[in-house]
Amino acid sequence: MSTIFNCRCFKKNSLGRAHGFLDETQGTLFFDIARIIKEKQPQAFLLENVKNLKSHDKGRTYRVIKKALENDLGYTVYDKIINAKGLVPQNRERIYIVGFKKPIKFQFPSLPDKGPALRTILEDEVDEKYTLSDKLWKYLQAYKEKHEAKGNGFGYGLADLDSYSRTLSARYYKDGSEILIPQKGKNPRKLTPRECARLQGFPDSFKIVVSNTAAYKQFGNSVAVPVVRLIAEKMIQAIEQDELIENGKGLIAHVGK
Protein backbone atom coordinates (compact mmCIF):
# COMPACT_ATOMS: atom_id res chain seq x y z
CA MET A 1 0.00 0.00 0.00
CA SER A 2 2.81 2.41 0.77
CA THR A 3 6.04 3.66 -0.71
CA ILE A 4 8.87 5.44 1.10
CA PHE A 5 11.24 7.59 -0.92
CA ASN A 6 14.23 9.88 -0.71
CA CYS A 7 14.55 12.55 -3.40
CA ARG A 8 18.07 11.92 -4.68
CA CYS A 9 18.83 12.68 -8.29
CA PHE A 10 19.82 10.05 -10.82
CA LYS A 11 20.96 10.32 -14.40
CA LYS A 12 18.12 10.73 -16.85
CA ASN A 13 16.76 7.59 -18.43
CA SER A 14 16.49 7.28 -22.16
CA LEU A 15 12.69 7.04 -22.33
CA GLY A 16 11.97 9.15 -25.37
CA ARG A 17 10.07 12.44 -25.37
CA ALA A 18 8.27 12.91 -22.04
CA HIS A 19 5.28 14.98 -21.01
CA GLY A 20 3.53 15.94 -17.75
CA PHE A 21 5.30 14.60 -14.67
CA LEU A 22 7.57 12.58 -16.97
CA ASP A 23 9.01 15.83 -18.24
CA GLU A 24 9.15 17.83 -15.01
CA THR A 25 10.52 15.11 -12.73
CA GLN A 26 12.76 13.15 -15.09
CA GLY A 27 16.20 12.67 -13.62
CA THR A 28 14.97 12.29 -10.03
CA LEU A 29 13.98 9.31 -7.94
CA PHE A 30 10.48 10.76 -7.70
CA PHE A 31 10.23 10.24 -11.46
CA ASP A 32 10.49 6.50 -10.80
CA ILE A 33 8.05 6.69 -7.87
CA ALA A 34 5.51 8.44 -10.12
CA ARG A 35 5.97 5.83 -12.83
CA ILE A 36 5.37 3.03 -10.32
CA ILE A 37 2.23 4.71 -8.98
CA LYS A 38 0.95 5.27 -12.52
CA GLU A 39 1.59 1.65 -13.47
CA LYS A 40 0.37 -0.07 -10.28
CA GLN A 41 -2.44 2.35 -9.31
CA PRO A 42 -2.22 1.63 -5.55
CA GLN A 43 -5.25 2.34 -3.39
CA ALA A 44 -3.00 4.49 -1.20
CA PHE A 45 0.64 5.42 -0.75
CA LEU A 46 2.91 6.93 1.89
CA LEU A 47 6.02 8.96 1.03
CA GLU A 48 8.64 10.36 3.42
CA ASN A 49 11.44 12.86 2.95
CA VAL A 50 13.44 15.54 4.76
CA LYS A 51 11.33 18.50 5.80
CA ASN A 52 13.35 20.83 3.57
CA LEU A 53 11.73 19.18 0.56
CA LYS A 54 8.99 21.80 0.91
CA SER A 55 11.39 24.74 0.67
CA HIS A 56 13.88 23.28 -1.81
CA ASP A 57 14.41 25.47 -4.88
CA LYS A 58 12.05 28.09 -3.39
CA GLY A 59 9.26 25.52 -3.19
CA ARG A 60 9.35 24.55 -6.85
CA THR A 61 10.46 20.95 -6.19
CA TYR A 62 7.51 20.26 -3.92
CA ARG A 63 5.05 22.01 -6.22
CA VAL A 64 6.15 19.74 -9.07
CA ILE A 65 5.75 16.65 -6.87
CA LYS A 66 2.28 17.72 -5.68
CA LYS A 67 1.17 18.51 -9.21
CA ALA A 68 2.28 15.08 -10.37
CA LEU A 69 0.46 13.30 -7.54
CA GLU A 70 -2.72 15.38 -7.65
CA ASN A 71 -3.27 16.47 -11.22
CA ASP A 72 -1.33 13.97 -13.33
CA LEU A 73 -1.93 10.85 -11.23
CA GLY A 74 -5.30 11.80 -9.74
CA TYR A 75 -4.69 11.22 -6.03
CA THR A 76 -6.09 13.10 -3.05
CA VAL A 77 -3.01 14.18 -1.13
CA TYR A 78 -2.29 15.15 2.48
CA ASP A 79 1.06 16.22 3.90
CA LYS A 80 2.46 17.07 7.29
CA ILE A 81 5.85 17.67 8.88
CA ILE A 82 6.17 15.41 11.91
CA ASN A 83 8.92 15.19 14.53
CA ALA A 84 9.57 11.63 15.69
CA LYS A 85 10.90 12.72 19.10
CA GLY A 86 7.55 11.98 20.72
CA LEU A 87 8.01 8.28 19.98
CA VAL A 88 11.78 7.78 19.77
CA PRO A 89 14.57 9.71 21.55
CA GLN A 90 15.65 11.55 18.41
CA ASN A 91 14.94 15.01 16.99
CA ARG A 92 13.88 13.89 13.51
CA GLU A 93 11.57 16.14 11.50
CA ARG A 94 10.35 14.68 8.23
CA ILE A 95 7.60 15.47 5.75
CA TYR A 96 5.09 12.67 5.27
CA ILE A 97 2.91 12.64 2.16
CA VAL A 98 -0.18 10.44 2.09
CA GLY A 99 -2.22 9.84 -1.05
CA PHE A 100 -5.51 8.05 -1.73
CA LYS A 101 -6.96 7.01 -5.07
CA LYS A 102 -10.41 7.95 -3.77
CA PRO A 103 -11.17 11.39 -2.24
CA ILE A 104 -11.07 9.98 1.29
CA LYS A 105 -10.99 12.10 4.44
CA PHE A 106 -7.78 11.60 6.42
CA GLN A 107 -6.11 12.99 9.51
CA PHE A 108 -2.52 12.43 10.57
CA PRO A 109 -1.98 10.94 14.03
CA SER A 110 -1.11 13.18 16.96
CA LEU A 111 2.20 12.36 18.59
CA PRO A 112 3.17 12.97 22.23
CA ASP A 113 5.20 16.12 22.90
CA LYS A 114 7.72 14.19 24.95
CA GLY A 115 9.03 10.70 24.26
CA PRO A 116 11.48 8.26 25.86
CA ALA A 117 14.90 9.43 27.05
CA LEU A 118 18.00 8.59 25.05
CA ARG A 119 19.39 6.44 27.86
CA THR A 120 16.51 3.97 27.37
CA ILE A 121 17.93 2.76 24.05
CA LEU A 122 21.54 2.32 25.19
CA GLU A 123 23.09 -1.12 25.53
CA ASP A 124 24.34 -2.24 28.95
CA GLU A 125 27.73 -3.38 27.69
CA VAL A 126 29.51 -1.75 24.75
CA ASP A 127 32.76 -2.79 23.09
CA GLU A 128 35.68 -0.37 23.53
CA LYS A 129 35.97 -0.06 19.74
CA TYR A 130 33.06 2.40 19.82
CA THR A 131 34.98 4.79 22.11
CA LEU A 132 36.64 7.61 20.16
CA SER A 133 40.42 7.51 19.90
CA ASP A 134 42.39 10.37 21.43
CA LYS A 135 43.31 11.55 17.94
CA LEU A 136 39.71 11.67 16.68
CA TRP A 137 38.37 13.25 19.87
CA LYS A 138 41.02 16.01 19.75
CA TYR A 139 40.24 16.62 16.08
CA LEU A 140 36.48 16.95 16.73
CA GLN A 141 37.08 19.34 19.64
CA ALA A 142 39.41 21.51 17.57
CA TYR A 143 36.97 21.50 14.66
CA LYS A 144 34.13 22.68 16.88
CA GLU A 145 36.26 25.38 18.50
CA LYS A 146 37.32 26.69 15.08
CA HIS A 147 33.72 27.03 13.91
CA GLU A 148 32.48 28.48 17.19
CA ALA A 149 35.11 31.21 16.78
CA LYS A 150 33.55 31.98 13.39
CA GLY A 151 30.12 32.24 14.97
CA ASN A 152 28.50 29.09 13.57
CA GLY A 153 27.35 25.90 15.22
CA PHE A 154 29.21 23.23 13.29
CA GLY A 155 30.73 20.47 15.35
CA TYR A 156 30.11 17.36 17.41
CA GLY A 157 27.07 16.87 19.59
CA LEU A 158 27.52 15.45 23.09
CA ALA A 159 24.15 13.89 23.82
CA ASP A 160 21.98 14.55 26.87
CA LEU A 161 21.01 11.05 28.00
CA ASP A 162 17.86 12.34 29.71
CA SER A 163 16.60 14.02 26.55
CA TYR A 164 16.70 13.19 22.84
CA SER A 165 19.54 13.12 20.33
CA ARG A 166 20.25 15.05 17.18
CA THR A 167 19.07 13.57 13.88
CA LEU A 168 20.83 10.34 12.94
CA SER A 169 22.24 10.63 9.41
CA ALA A 170 23.76 8.27 6.86
CA ARG A 171 27.18 9.84 7.50
CA TYR A 172 27.20 8.62 11.10
CA TYR A 173 29.59 5.81 10.21
CA LYS A 174 32.38 8.35 9.56
CA ASP A 175 32.97 9.61 13.10
CA GLY A 176 29.64 9.59 14.94
CA SER A 177 30.08 13.28 15.66
CA GLU A 178 26.41 14.29 15.57
CA ILE A 179 25.48 11.92 18.41
CA LEU A 180 28.24 11.16 20.92
CA ILE A 181 27.54 9.35 24.18
CA PRO A 182 29.43 10.79 27.20
CA GLN A 183 31.41 8.35 29.32
CA LYS A 184 32.86 8.93 32.77
CA GLY A 185 36.64 9.04 32.86
CA LYS A 186 37.19 8.52 29.13
CA ASN A 187 36.44 9.81 25.67
CA PRO A 188 32.83 9.74 24.43
CA ARG A 189 31.67 6.93 22.18
CA LYS A 190 29.56 6.39 19.11
CA LEU A 191 26.23 4.64 19.20
CA THR A 192 26.40 0.97 18.29
CA PRO A 193 24.47 -0.26 15.24
CA ARG A 194 21.92 -1.84 17.58
CA GLU A 195 21.44 1.46 19.40
CA CYS A 196 20.96 3.18 16.04
CA ALA A 197 18.29 0.62 15.21
CA ARG A 198 16.55 1.35 18.52
CA LEU A 199 16.87 5.09 17.90
CA GLN A 200 14.81 4.59 14.73
CA GLY A 201 12.28 2.41 16.54
CA PHE A 202 13.32 -1.01 15.25
CA PRO A 203 12.64 -3.89 17.66
CA ASP A 204 15.58 -5.89 18.99
CA SER A 205 14.27 -8.85 17.00
CA PHE A 206 15.35 -7.02 13.84
CA LYS A 207 18.48 -8.79 12.63
CA ILE A 208 21.49 -6.73 11.59
CA VAL A 209 23.22 -8.90 9.01
CA VAL A 210 25.50 -6.32 7.36
CA SER A 211 28.76 -4.67 8.35
CA ASN A 212 28.77 -1.84 10.87
CA THR A 213 29.44 0.71 8.14
CA ALA A 214 26.51 -0.53 6.05
CA ALA A 215 24.27 -0.67 9.13
CA TYR A 216 25.06 2.93 10.09
CA LYS A 217 24.25 4.07 6.54
CA GLN A 218 21.01 2.08 6.42
CA PHE A 219 19.71 3.21 9.81
CA GLY A 220 20.68 6.81 9.07
CA ASN A 221 18.61 6.64 5.88
CA SER A 222 15.72 4.78 7.51
CA VAL A 223 12.32 6.06 8.52
CA ALA A 224 11.30 6.28 12.16
CA VAL A 225 9.36 3.03 12.35
CA PRO A 226 6.80 3.97 15.07
CA VAL A 227 5.82 7.13 13.17
CA VAL A 228 5.24 5.25 9.93
CA ARG A 229 3.30 2.58 11.81
CA LEU A 230 0.90 5.15 13.29
CA ILE A 231 0.38 6.88 9.96
CA ALA A 232 -0.24 3.55 8.24
CA GLU A 233 -2.81 2.62 10.89
CA LYS A 234 -4.60 5.93 10.30
CA MET A 235 -4.53 5.29 6.56
CA ILE A 236 -6.13 1.87 7.01
CA GLN A 237 -8.82 3.38 9.25
CA ALA A 238 -9.56 6.04 6.64
CA ILE A 239 -9.89 3.43 3.89
CA GLU A 240 -12.16 1.25 6.02
CA GLN A 241 -14.38 4.20 7.04
CA ASP A 242 -14.50 5.35 3.40
CA GLU A 243 -15.72 8.84 4.31
CA LEU A 244 -15.41 11.00 1.22
CA ILE A 245 -14.61 14.68 0.89
CA GLU A 246 -17.82 16.58 0.11
CA ASN A 247 -16.51 18.38 -2.95
CA GLY A 248 -15.52 15.11 -4.55
CA LYS A 249 -12.36 13.78 -6.08
CA GLY A 250 -9.58 16.17 -6.81
CA LEU A 251 -9.89 18.37 -3.69
CA ILE A 252 -6.45 18.75 -2.20
CA ALA A 253 -6.02 18.70 1.56
CA HIS A 254 -3.15 20.75 2.88
CA VAL A 255 -2.19 19.70 6.39
CA GLY A 256 0.87 21.76 7.25
CA LYS A 257 3.11 22.01 10.18
Side-chain angles (χ1 to χ4, degrees):
M1 180 182 71
S2 62
T3 304
I4 308 297
F5 82 106
N6 282 317
C7 200
R8 296 189 178 91
C9 292
F10 293 146
K11 293 180 179 179
K12 287 190 176 182
N13 298 312
S14 298
L15 296 174
R17 189 172 181 80
H19 59 85
F21 76 82
L22 294 178
D23 183 34
E24 293 186 90
T25 67
Q26 192 168 351
T28 70
L29 183 53
F30 179 74
F31 170 76
D32 296 305
I33 294 296
R35 286 198 305 167
I36 292 170
I37 292 174
K38 183 179 181 182
E39 175 67 25
K40 299 301 182 180
Q41 296 290 306
Q43 187 176 0
F45 62 77
L46 169 59
L47 310 180
E48 179 259 17
N49 208 309
V50 295
K51 72 170 184 176
N52 290 338
L53 175 67
K54 263 198 160 180
S55 58
H56 181 262
D57 193 17
K58 297 182 180 179
R60 180 183 179 278
T61 299
Y62 191 61
R63 287 195 298 270
V64 169
I65 289 173
K66 281 181 58 178
K67 177 179 177 293
L69 295 172
E70 299 168 350
N71 300 342
D72 298 334
L73 298 175
Y75 281 80
T76 299
V77 175
Y78 300 80
D79 65 73
K80 187 175 183 180
I81 293 174
I82 296 176
N83 196 327
K85 68 180 182 179
L87 297 177
V88 294
Q90 179 188 178
N91 183 39
R92 193 179 190 87
E93 288 186 290
R94 291 293 186 268
I95 183 171
Y96 294 88
I97 307 169
V98 169
F100 297 97
K101 193 62 179 173
K102 294 172 65 176
I104 293 174
K105 288 185 178 180
F106 173 77
Q107 285 190 332
F108 281 92
S110 297
L111 272 61
D113 293 329
K114 187 176 180 180
L118 182 59
R119 65 173 67 253
T120 64
I121 61 98
L122 300 182
E123 295 191 81
D124 294 330
E125 297 184 7
V126 176
D127 195 294
E128 283 297 317
K129 68 181 180 181
Y130 296 104
T131 296
L132 300 189
S133 66
D134 289 340
K135 181 178 179 180
L136 178 55
W137 181 223
K138 288 178 181 179
Y139 167 78
L140 292 178
Q141 289 176 300
Y143 182 84
K144 185 170 185 176
E145 288 175 3
K146 180 179 69 174
H147 283 282
E148 284 180 341
K150 294 180 179 179
N152 58 49
F154 298 133
Y156 68 86
L158 205 57
D160 179 353
L161 303 189
D162 293 315
S163 185
Y164 50 81
S165 75
R166 290 182 179 181
T167 302
L168 181 67
S169 72
R171 70 164 301 282
Y172 191 75
Y173 74 95
K174 293 183 178 181
D175 52 29
S177 61
E178 64 258 44
I179 307 172
L180 292 176
I181 305 302
Q183 301 185 104
K184 289 184 179 179
K186 56 184 178 179
N187 298 342
R189 68 170 178 87
K190 297 196 300 184
L191 294 168
T192 68
R194 175 56 63 191
E195 289 169 339
C196 288
R198 292 173 178 174
L199 196 63
Q200 292 283 44
F202 285 84
D204 283 352
S205 58
F206 183 85
K207 295 181 180 180
I208 303 174
V209 296
V210 295
S211 68
N212 279 6
T213 296
Y216 283 132
K217 290 180 180 179
Q218 290 175 11
F219 289 125
N221 274 326
S222 173
V223 297
V225 176
V227 177
V228 171
R229 180 186 295 115
L230 284 184
I231 295 174
E233 289 173 353
K234 285 288 189 179
M235 291 171 68
I236 292 171
Q237 291 174 13
I239 291 171
E240 290 176 343
Q241 291 172 358
D242 199 27
E243 187 177 355
L244 303 183
I245 297 170
E246 289 182 5
N247 290 348
K249 193 171 183 178
L251 177 65
I252 309 307
H254 303 288
V255 186
K257 205 171 182 181

